[in-house]
Amino acid sequence: MELNEITITSAIIDRYYQRLKNSLVSDVAIVGGGPSGLVAGYYLSKHNIKTIMFERKLSIGGGMWGGGMQFNEIVVQKEALPVLEELDVRYTQYAENYYTADAIEAVCTIASKAVKAGLTIFNCMSVEDVMMREDKVCGLVINWSAVDIAKLHVDPLTVQSTYVIDTTGHDTEVVRVVVKKVPGKLNTPGGTIEGEKSMWAEKAEKLTLDNTREIFPGLFVAGMAANAVFGGPRMGPIFGGMLLSGKKVAEEIIKKIKG
Ligand code: 48H
């Protein structure tokens, strides 16, 4: 059978264009494809909420691929096992309340489930700003990561979204832009980013969940970003808090959209 390069090229351009055009207006835009973002994307999509995700890197998965110090196993505590079960990730008990999973299986399986539930992912795209109106964050300003890396002076494009979730991890990049450029205060004790604290796993895992919420009208934080914004400690390679945080942020937004 004949294979024609121009048809191959045309197929990619047409399909990608369709997907991008269909994503210009969405219910939820997630920034960052780490574990918390992927889990949020899964639950939102499963509830038929139109959800898109932007990931700066070529691969999604964030900090989960490398487990702890590149030993590619993750630890998950008992309370997060229902999320692993829902997502079909296999796990093994290590000690009372400590379970482990293969980091590679976890990333691949969660990502696959999220995409099959309907999440649209754009990799190699960076979020550099938000779209704002008087009262809320209402979208994202995006550009190719390659433009960002090469420091080319190329203007970005914009997508509109009812809610934005910052799951950019330690750097909490979307919230950082809002603090710098959008009038108003964050919903934190000091009204701004409190900053991540040093390692204290037990406390951090609880706080990650407490801190998963709407931080500014239209803007939610989840995962490591939630801790960084609210001044919680880090927790190292235990991932239950990330999974539960992704689930919680999805539930909060589902409640807002569907009542
Ligand atoms: C597009 C962006 C941008 C941007 C960043 O760091 P992540 O894995 O995030 P979480 O919160 O889901 O998981 C945190 C976890 O991996 C971790 O680091 C833990 C548990 N640490 C504990 C400790 O003590 O260190 O993923 C964030 C993703 C990454 O893939 C980034 O590339 C991406 O967000 N990202 N994507 N536009 N501006 N900024």
Side-chain angles (χ1 to χ4, degrees), residues 32 34-36 55-56 62-63 127 167 170 173 224 234-236 242:
S36 62
E55 166 54 51
R56 162 182 290 153
V127 170
T167 49
H170 298 272
E173 293 203 11
M224 208 58 219
R234 68 190 302 182
M235 71 296 287
M242 298 300 121

Side-chain angles (χ1 to χ4, degrees), residues 101-120:
D102 178 335
I104 308 298
E105 175 177 339
V107 174
C108 296
T109 313
I110 296 170
S112 166
K113 284 276 193 178
V115 170
K116 287 187 172 160
L119 176 66
T120 299

Side-chain angles (χ1 to χ4, degrees), residues 197-201 204 233-237:
K197 303 293 185 294
S198 288
M199 185 78 82
W200 187 347
R234 68 190 302 182
M235 71 296 287

Side-chain angles (χ1 to χ4, degrees), residues 25-30 40 44 49-53 119 140 160-165 253-254 257:
V25 179
S26 65
D27 296 319
V28 184
I30 302 174
L44 286 161
I49 289 175
K50 185 174 173 186
T51 308
I52 60 172
M53 169 182 281
L119 176 66
L140 294 170
Q160 180 187 322
S161 185
T162 312
Y163 296 106
V164 168
I165 310 177
I253 294 178
I254 291 164
I257 292 178

Side-chain angles (χ1 to χ4, degrees), residues 73-76 84 90-94 98-102:
E73 283 283 321
I74 56 166
V75 172
V76 172
L84 289 185
R90 294 171 298 177
Y91 59 83
T92 319
Q93 185 165 24
Y94 180 75
Y98 296 83
Y99 296 79
T100 60
D102 178 335

